Amino acid sequence: MAQQNNNRAQFATKLGVIATTVGSAVGLGNIWRFPYEAGNNGGGAFLICYLLCIVALGIPVLCAEFAIGRSTRSNIFGAFENLKSSSKWHWIGYIGILSSVMILSFYSVVAGWTMEYLYQSFTGGLNLSGAEAFHNQFTSFSTGNWRPILWTVIFLLCNYIIVVRGVKKGIEKMSNLMMPALFVLLIIFCVNSLMMPKAKEGLEFLFSPDFSKITPEVVVSALGQAFFSLSLGLGTMMTYGSYFSKDTRIVRSATITASLDTLIAVLAGIIIFPAVFSFGMSPVQGPALVFEILPSIFAQMPGAQIWSVLFFFLLFLASLTSTISMSEVSIAFLSEEKKMSRIKASTINLIIALCGGVLSALSFGYLSDLNFFGLFDINFFSFFDFTSSNLLLPLGGMLISIFAGWRLERSALKNALTNEGKIGVKTFPLLVFCLKFVAPIAILLIFLLGLKLF
Ligand code: PHE
């Protein structure tokens, strides 16, 4: 197929492959963004659309990214240049870079909130009672100007220190430990939420869809959430695919990654919605939802402080493994394609993210009334979030699926997915069908539907 750079680092173990790709996929997208999007978009109606997007679009595009990454052993730019050097396909890479810096900007703000909550849990600052008190606490923190910026900067510096060293082995080890720990904690919180007085209402909200609530907005949000949660459409998974060994089973890895990622999002929903109804709150709270509900949940559990310290610490680590993976898109471009040193590339990435991060952090306070040059009635935070997740990632995913389905030779795709014919992949025809027709057409249709939203 294409040139191979066999010196490239590879994941050490099979578990490492899964832990690292799941490490990228699982993060604030599952625990913070999924519940708030589901809450805003009618619960069950959103969940159905989301699951359909994961199965019919997410898994095939994830397979395509892994396959292209491993075959070319390259970042998103190098990959397309290796495969079709004379063409304009590497423009997908520019879309990826733009998405990655936008996401990094607003994501770091929310990761900063996580750090504030970790700090507050440590110092006993979350020792309040009543949902109202937690609501006020979050509002006064997030609308302030200095603390959110300070934590955003600290988070970006943590991210910088790790990416500048390019420590893949470290990330692999950290994910191996953190993911199972996070999972166990979530299960404990689920059991706790299921015992709440209005658990049934919460579960009904999430699991029994009211089909009349499926609007263009719900479908566009579900598509965006699916791509965001799987870290798809910007080349992150392509880069991780380039670290796969020749024996890694791509379709299986993609299916396991998508299943675990979805499971964690659904678990977060099972924790949040029973509590929302039991505390008499509205599920339509936007980005604040989880930061108001979770501390209220912990406050009711015996040993509240320990649970919240543990949880916010793991969420901080989970956010870090996600931002490390998204930073890799622009850093790999600058260092591998533009031949910059890793330090220089990481520093440029940091500076851009700091600018975007400060604008996003101020979006709840000083810049909250901004109507974006008079064009849109949204602040920087929502602009970065909406544009990257709902537009750029699906656009990138659509182009990747068109490339894999129509431009790449069928035999090359088959070789990549079957490990040069060593393993059978029964779903190959189905995957090709999804990449050729289902993904491009569905994403295009959803875009057209969504035009109404602009
Ligand atoms: N999937 C990550 C999450 O759910 C976010 C992410 C998006 C990471 C895009 C990398 C690239 O938190």
Side-chain angles (χ1 to χ4, degrees), residues 213-383:
K213 287 200 178 140
I214 301 186
T215 60
E217 198 173 346
V218 172
V219 180
V220 170
S221 308
L223 175 71
Q225 176 60 22
F227 274 76
F228 184 88
S229 197
L230 290 180
S231 315
L232 273 189
L234 74 171
T236 300
M237 290 305 194
M238 214 175 271
T239 311
Y240 276 12
S242 74
Y243 307 134
F244 284 8
S245 78
K246 61 183 188 343
D247 302 320
T248 306
R249 294 175 169 235
I250 287 181
V251 180
R252 183 187 284 180
S253 305
T255 315
I256 297 178
T257 304
S259 312
L260 290 177
D261 185 67
T262 308
L263 177 67
I264 302 245
V266 172
L267 289 181
I270 298 178
I271 297 170
I272 300 293
F273 292 111
V276 165
F277 287 92
S278 301
F279 298 147
M281 292 172 71
S282 154
V284 191
Q285 304 269 343
L289 178 71
V290 167
F291 286 88
E292 294 179 5
I293 288 288
L294 280 174
S296 326
I297 300 178
F298 300 146
Q300 293 201 325
M301 293 171 73
Q305 194 173 7
I306 299 174
W307 295 118
S308 62
V309 168
L310 262 178
F311 176 78
F312 287 114
F313 178 63
L314 288 174
L315 189 56
F316 159 71
L317 291 184
S319 317
L320 208 50
T321 50
S322 298
T323 52
I324 292 165
S325 73
M326 70 185 85
S327 305
E328 206 53 45
V329 177
S330 27
I331 295 176
F333 169 67
L334 294 174
S335 62
E336 291 174 16
E337 305 300 312
K338 297 286 168 207
K339 308 289 174 227
M340 280 182 196
S341 66
R342 188 141 184 122
I343 297 196
K344 195 166 172 196
S346 313
T347 310
I348 293 180
N349 186 56
L350 171 70
I351 293 171
I352 298 176
L354 279 173
C355 299
V358 169
L359 291 174
S360 307
L362 289 177
S363 296
F364 296 86
Y366 189 63
L367 295 178
S368 61
D369 292 333
L370 188 94
N371 56 12
F372 217 81
F373 314 123
L375 289 174
F376 307 104
D377 194 13
I378 54 174
N379 55 38
F380 277 103
F381 183 100
S382 317
F383 176 77

Side-chain angles (χ1 to χ4, degrees), residues 162-183:
I162 300 178
V163 294
V164 87
R165 301 201 197 149
V167 279
K168 289 182 196 76
K169 285 272 146 50
I171 299 167
E172 192 177 332
K173 279 204 188 108
M174 183 167 100
S175 304
N176 275 344
L177 282 178
M178 176 198 65
M179 283 300 149
L182 183 65
F183 186 72

Side-chain angles (χ1 to χ4, degrees), residues 105-153:
S105 302
F106 76 86
Y107 201 94
S108 309
V109 173
V110 185
W113 295 348
T114 308
M115 293 177 87
E116 160 82 8
Y117 273 66
L118 176 58
Y119 170 79
Q120 293 291 353
S121 318
F122 250 124
T123 54
L126 292 184
N127 197 2
L128 307 172
S129 66
E132 185 72 24
F134 286 107
H135 169 75
N136 294 340
Q137 188 185 36
F138 181 75
T139 311
S140 83
F141 158 66
S142 60
T143 55
N145 293 327
W146 290 110
R147 281 181 88 85
I149 292 185
L150 181 72
W151 285 119
T152 306
V153 172

Side-chain angles (χ1 to χ4, degrees), residues 65-109:
E65 283 208 26
F66 283 163
I68 294 172
R70 186 181 55 191
S71 324
T72 55
R73 295 253 174 257
S74 180
N75 65 67
I76 185 164
F77 287 89
F80 287 107
E81 236 142 56
N82 277 348
L83 290 168
K84 290 265 173 246
S85 49
S86 58
S87 71
K88 298 265 173 279
W89 285 99
H90 64 270
W91 270 88
I92 300 181
Y94 293 115
I95 300 178
I97 292 203
L98 188 62
S99 329
S100 76
V101 288
M102 280 190 170
I103 298 177
L104 189 56
S105 302
F106 76 86
Y107 201 94
S108 309
V109 173

